[in-house]
C-alpha cells in the first residue's frame, strides 16, 4: 500500500522518522497536529501513501479520499472544535505553488476553535 518518498517530510512523519503529535491513525491515513497552528485546533490529515497533491488524485482514490474527508467531523469534535453552527471548522487543501502548497504530500488542514485565530 505504501509508496514512500525519502525526501518528503510527511512520508518521514508517516514512517516515524520525524516525530509528530498524533491525532488519528489507521492503515491508510494519519492525522497529526500542525507544528505552526493558526487556530486553537489545527491538525493535518494525510494519506500514508505519498500522493504529491490534490492535483494527482483520481477515480482510483475515491475510497481513500472519501474516508479521509468523512473522518473530519469526528476528529474535529474530538480535538475541541465546537459544534456546528456556532462552532464549526475550516478545511483547507493547498494545491501546487500557486495554491499555496509548501509541503508536497497531499494534506488537508482542519482548523477550528474560538476566534480570534492567528491567521485565516
Ligand atoms: P501547506 O502550505 O498547505 O503545504 O502547509 C504545510 C503545513 O505543514 C504548514 O501549516 C506547516 O506548519 C506544517 N508542517 C510542516 N512541517 C511540519 C511538521 N514537522 N509537523 C507538523 N506540521 C508541519
Ligand atoms: Zn510524502
Amino acid at each position: 500500500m505504501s509508496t514512500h518518498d525519502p525526501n518528503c517530510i510527511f512520508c518521514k512523519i508517516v514512517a516515524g522518522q520525524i516525530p509528530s503529535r498524533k491525532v488519528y491513525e489507521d492503515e491508510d491515513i494519519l492525522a497529526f497536529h500542525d507544528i505552526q497552528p493558526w487556530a486553537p485546533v489545527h491538525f493535518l490529515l494525510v494519506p500514508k501513501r505519498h500522493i504529491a497533491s490534490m492535483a494527482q488524485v483520481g477515480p482510483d482514490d475515491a475510497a481513500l479520499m472519501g474516508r479521509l474527508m468523512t473522518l473530519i467531523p469526528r476528529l474535529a469534535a474530538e480535538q475541541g472544535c465546537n459544534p456546528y453552527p456556532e462552532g464549526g471548522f475550516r478545511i483547507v487543501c493547498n494545491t501546487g505553488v500557486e495554491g499555496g502548497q509548501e509541503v508536497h504530500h497531499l494534506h488537508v488542514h482542519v482548523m477550528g476553535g474560538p476566534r480570534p485565530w492567528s491567521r485565516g
Side-chain angles (χ1 to χ4, degrees), residues 9 27 33 35 39 44-45 48 58-59 65 70 76 79 82 95 98-100 102 105-106 114-115:
I9 185 167
E27 196 184 349
H33 291 279
I35 206 166
L44 307 173
L45 279 141
K48 287 188 171 179
M65 294 307 294
T70 53
Q79 293 306 313
N82 291 312
T95 304
E98 291 181 350
E102 292 180 357
H105 179 131
L106 172 59
R115 301 249 176 195

Side-chain angles (χ1 to χ4, degrees), residues 5 8 10-11 50 105:
D5 177 342
C8 170
F10 287 175
C11 281
H50 182 85
H105 179 131

Side-chain angles (χ1 to χ4, degrees), residues 1-94:
M1 84 100 281
S2 147
T3 49
H4 177 92
D5 177 342
N7 299 313
C8 170
I9 185 167
F10 287 175
C11 281
K12 289 181 183 171
I13 286 177
V14 167
Q17 294 162 349
I18 292 179
S20 69
R21 288 176 52 224
K22 193 190 298 180
V23 166
Y24 171 85
E25 180 170 22
D26 66 28
E27 196 184 349
D28 303 313
I29 293 166
L30 180 69
F32 52 93
H33 291 279
D34 197 290
I35 206 166
Q36 284 191 297
W38 297 11
V41 177
H42 187 173
F43 61 92
L44 307 173
L45 279 141
V46 305
K48 287 188 171 179
R49 175 161 58 91
H50 182 85
I51 302 172
S53 82
M54 204 54 205
Q56 281 75 33
V57 166
D60 289 350
D61 304 305
L64 171 68
M65 294 307 294
R67 285 213 313 102
L68 190 149
M69 294 301 286
T70 53
L71 278 166
I72 291 173
R74 185 188 117 199
L75 298 183
E78 286 176 5
Q79 293 306 313
C81 292
N82 291 312
Y84 176 92
E86 289 80 9
F89 46 81
R90 175 175 292 181
I91 299 168
V92 171
C93 184
N94 298 322

